[in-house]
Amino acid sequence: MLTMGVEEEFLLLADDGSVRPVGAAVVAAARLPGQVKPEYMRYQVETASAVCTRVEDLRRDLVRLRVAVAEAADRAGARLIAVGAAPLAAGPRQALSGDERYRELARRYPGPTAPGATCACQVHVGIADREVAVAVLGRLRPWLPALLALTVNSPYAGGVDTGWASIRYRLQRRWPTFRPPGVWADAQRYDSVVASLVTSGAALDPAAVYFLARLSSRYPTIEVRVADTCLEVDDTVVYAATVRALVAGLVDDVRRGVPARPVPGRLINARLLAAARGTGPAVGDLMAKVEPYLAGSDAGVVRDGLQRMLHLGTGAERQRRMRALPGDPRRFVRLLAEATVPVATVS
């Protein structure tokens, strides 16, 4: 079974929804070096799960990390919030983290930086053979809209309903390389494209080539980057298990010589925009593809999780229901915090 790991990005908000630039204090208080890290803005943090094979282990680690960071945030006077964009107050550009690389990114790319932070969920799936991994990237392209449709979780920005289910996706398109991967003949060609993007100034370095799915610049993994950060742990677990099963199916296709299904880039982009608006593709075809590769407990987790999502709605739909409840913005922030780390998961 392929290994998987998850990186989740979070906002740090005050009770009234304003951003709290206390990321460094939260990272220090969490005391989980390597697993809790600063992010682009000082009102963000990122967690990185352990490398897992069993979905139960992944869920346990994600819960542990969310609880630890939420407790550290509370000590710093902030709430940990799992949404794709700051819902009530945009964060100032000057709240950049102290990391010199981030500051250089902001200097070179002021347009994408100006709207403030967005938060993503990145799933890593272990594939040691880079030739197979590059072939899988090309085959992932048509599935990216369905993966985004599963995970939209940013309808609000700056205190208004944007009309999008993922305003994060729209904002991130300002980055020059935020786009689906290409179809490349081999790993050498992939590396050549990445190098050319850095040389041309479209990316600061290989780690700043923000394809929606890419070869990780640090690990022997495919990194799927299309998703908003997920509102609840169970959403993240279902999404990660789905991504792993999809990648496993595509690896199998590559090794069996199944012809790739060509889909024009303009059609993929149109479907991604539709997914970000909340009118994207149904996930039925995706589920039919991954079903044969859901091993052991993954099958039940994904089936039950998708049924739950059909009943409760996407993260974006749940946010809109929360915001529609009577009460001031503080209630909305409290409900988001409780969804991020619900009492039931802490126990």
Side-chain angles (χ1 to χ4, degrees):
M1 187 178 291
L2 301 176
T3 60
M4 59 183 167
V6 173
E7 294 171 318
E8 293 191 288
E9 297 166 356
F10 301 94
L11 295 174
L12 298 166
L13 302 184
D15 286 344
D16 63 1
S18 60
V19 298
R20 291 278 290 145
V22 293
V26 171
V27 170
R31 297 183 180 179
L32 291 168
Q35 286 200 285
V36 179
K37 300 174 282 187
E39 246 301 321
Y40 197 41
M41 296 290 179
R42 287 187 288 126
Y43 51 88
Q44 287 180 286
V45 291
E46 179 185 63
T47 65
S49 78
V51 177
C52 299
T53 301
R54 300 195 317 154
V55 70
E56 297 92 341
D57 294 337
L58 177 65
R59 186 183 189 282
R60 189 177 302 111
D61 205 45
L62 292 173
V63 169
R64 177 181 65 87
L65 289 168
R66 285 194 180 205
V67 169
V69 180
E71 291 174 347
D74 183 65
R75 291 195 290 274
R79 290 184 180 268
L80 188 73
I81 305 292
V83 296
L88 296 178
R93 182 184 168 196
Q94 60 268 30
L96 275 169
S97 293
D99 185 283
E100 186 54 40
R101 180 174 175 276
Y102 289 153
R103 295 190 173 278
E104 181 61 16
L105 277 169
R107 187 187 70 78
R108 289 200 194 185
Y109 309 104
T113 300
T118 62
C119 295
C121 174
Q122 292 128 15
V123 176
H124 290 257
V125 180
I127 301 180
D129 187 327
R130 295 182 84 247
E131 299 297 334
V132 171
V134 167
V136 168
L137 285 181
R139 292 166 185 258
L140 269 170
R141 288 161 46 88
W143 301 107
L144 292 170
L147 293 175
L148 178 59
L150 273 176
T151 57
V152 288
N153 186 35
S154 52
Y156 296 103
V160 300
D161 188 327
T162 64
W164 291 71
S166 174
I167 193 62
R168 168 194 160 267
Y169 178 80
R170 181 185 175 195
L171 294 173
Q172 288 294 99
R173 292 185 61 190
R174 300 183 183 198
W175 289 95
T177 59
F178 188 80
R179 61 177 190 250
V183 178
W184 295 290
D186 51 37
Q188 182 178 8
R189 179 58 184 157
Y190 173 88
D191 292 338
S192 175
V193 169
V194 169
S196 69
L197 289 168
V198 175
T199 301
S200 69
L204 177 63
D205 52 33
V209 174
Y210 297 133
F211 295 149
L212 302 183
R214 67 182 184 181
L215 302 190
S216 171
S217 61
R218 296 174 292 168
Y219 310 116
T221 65
I222 280 179
E223 181 185 357
V224 180
R225 304 171 48 83
V226 70
D228 286 2
T229 206
C230 296
L231 183 60
E232 301 181 46
V233 167
D234 288 340
D235 301 335
T236 306
V237 173
V238 170
Y239 174 61
T242 300
V243 168
R244 176 171 66 172
L246 175 59
V247 170
L250 296 175
V251 168
D252 191 41
D253 288 349
V254 170
R255 289 177 171 159
R256 291 189 295 116
V258 176
R261 175 163 61 105
V263 181
R266 65 181 180 279
L267 183 56
I268 293 171
N269 285 319
R271 289 173 176 171
L272 282 162
L273 283 170
R277 291 190 182 102
T279 59
V283 298
D285 289 345
L286 175 63
M287 289 306 103
K289 176 65 177 176
V290 304
E291 183 78 23
Y293 300 94
L294 292 169
S297 60
D298 286 22
V301 167
V302 171
R303 290 192 200 103
D304 293 347
L306 290 174
Q307 285 301 313
R308 172 180 169 274
M309 194 171 292
L310 285 172
H311 176 66
L312 295 178
T314 63
E317 290 167 331
R318 278 172 264 165
Q319 280 199 53
R320 285 188 167 114
R321 288 203 302 273
M322 292 177 191
R323 190 71 179 99
L325 292 171
D328 63 15
R330 291 172 181 267
R331 181 179 187 183
F332 180 44
V333 172
R334 176 173 56 79
L335 291 172
L336 291 174
E338 290 173 354
T340 300
V341 189
V343 173
T345 60
V346 176
S347 60

